[in-house]
Amino acid sequence: MNLKIVKLPSFLKPLLNNNLIRLGSFNDGGYIVCESDINDSDLLLSFGINDDWSFEKNFLEKKNIHCYAFDGSLSKKFWIKNFISALTKLEFNNLKKYIDFKNFFKNKKIFIKKYVSNLQNENHITLSEILDTFCSEFNKIFLKIDIEGSEYRILDEIIKNSHRITSLVIEFHDTDLNFHKIEQFIDKFSLKVIHVHANNYAETNYALNPSAIEVTFSRNYINQLVQNLPNSLDNPNDKFKSDYKIQFLS
């Protein structure tokens, strides 16, 4: 199957890393990271899990460390709606998912029902508050972020705390409207891009720019640009559509 071409600015070109692995589900919810960064970390912070914690599960199978996961959408209303849907359709996957959620998030794995952003209200929490309240004893933090556009609200905080971050995997949304913000972040962030994947759930604009991309940052890299994407470890987010092939603008 021929891959659809999408185009990204050259500042997103990743540097080579020969220690990449895939964590999480086969399609949407899976990310490519550097295995050495997992081994170097003493805490996993995950912002945005929705109903898929396969990444967190795979990560902690590799290294059994503390994990704090934040998502304001996983409320009682969310689960009740899922249960009603399951009973209506006589499907029990949602019940199994709830049981798995309760079994997974316990002991060193802690779920907190908060949105992560820079907004000041009872439903939101800032990255600085998280680091001060929950993470004061940790200085090697692996950060995973998929918060549906609020990532732009916390980029400055990520830069400020970059000395404590071993790796960052982040999904940027509405990228075609925010390339300038992403470029400024990359210029100021001390970690380097080692992988980029275009989310094929996202549409492209007239210039073939994808509107959502997954980007992995690391301190472990070879000073050589990656030439071909998608990587062999990549899979399409939407399994019913072919993956995107990335061309970088000169």
Side-chain angles (χ1 to χ4, degrees), residues 46-181:
S46 181
F47 301 161
I49 61 170
N50 199 321
D51 62 352
D52 183 358
W53 42 93
S54 57
F55 177 90
E56 292 74 16
K57 187 175 289 187
N58 285 172
F59 186 106
L60 297 173
E61 287 170 351
K62 290 282 184 183
K63 189 173 185 185
N64 185 21
I65 56 178
H66 284 79
C67 171
Y68 287 96
F70 294 79
D71 195 319
S73 68
L74 284 179
S75 61
K76 289 182 180 179
K77 183 178 179 180
F78 172 89
W79 291 115
I80 291 170
K81 183 178 178 181
N82 277 4
F83 290 156
I84 293 172
S85 175
L87 291 172
T88 302
K89 299 176 183 178
L90 295 178
E91 297 176 351
F92 300 99
N93 286 338
N94 288 341
L95 177 59
K96 291 179 181 177
K97 183 162 288 188
Y98 177 74
I99 293 171
D100 184 61
F101 172 81
K102 299 300 287 187
N103 286 335
F104 180 70
F105 286 106
K106 59 185 180 182
N107 300 325
K108 295 194 298 183
K109 304 180 289 290
I110 299 170
F111 172 76
I112 297 169
K113 192 176 76 68
K114 293 272 190 182
Y115 295 104
V116 180
S117 76
N118 63 352
L119 299 179
Q120 300 293 322
N121 64 58
E122 63 181 11
N123 297 318
H124 292 74
I125 188 169
T126 69
L127 174 57
S128 295
E129 288 172 334
I130 291 169
L131 293 175
D132 291 342
T133 305
F134 303 102
C135 310
S136 59
E137 62 185 291
F138 303 103
N139 286 301
K140 296 180 179 179
I141 300 170
F142 193 109
L143 190 54
K144 174 228 165 185
I145 300 174
D146 183 4
I147 49 179
E148 307 302 322
S150 289
E151 61 273 10
Y152 299 105
R153 295 180 177 273
I154 64 170
L155 293 182
D156 287 341
E157 288 184 284
I158 295 173
I159 293 168
K160 178 182 175 182
N161 294 282
S162 61
H163 60 287
R164 299 178 65 185
I165 299 173
T166 57
S167 181
L168 167 67
V169 57
I170 182 170
E171 182 155 4
F172 288 108
H173 301 82
D174 298 320
T175 51
D176 53 322
L177 302 178
N178 290 287
F179 280 139
H180 63 293
K181 293 181 181 178

Side-chain angles (χ1 to χ4, degrees), residues 19-39 44 52-63 142 144 167 169 214 216 233-235:
N19 194 217
L20 297 178
I21 61 171
R22 183 181 179 87
L23 299 179
S25 62
F26 189 79
N27 297 110
D28 199 40
Y31 300 93
I32 292 178
V33 302
C34 172
E35 188 167 19
S36 298
D37 293 334
I38 298 172
N39 296 329
L44 171 61
D52 183 358
W53 42 93
S54 57
F55 177 90
E56 292 74 16
K57 187 175 289 187
N58 285 172
F59 186 106
L60 297 173
E61 287 170 351
K62 290 282 184 183
K63 189 173 185 185
F142 193 109
K144 174 228 165 185
S167 181
V169 57
E214 300 155 355
T216 305
L233 295 172
D234 278 317
N235 293 310

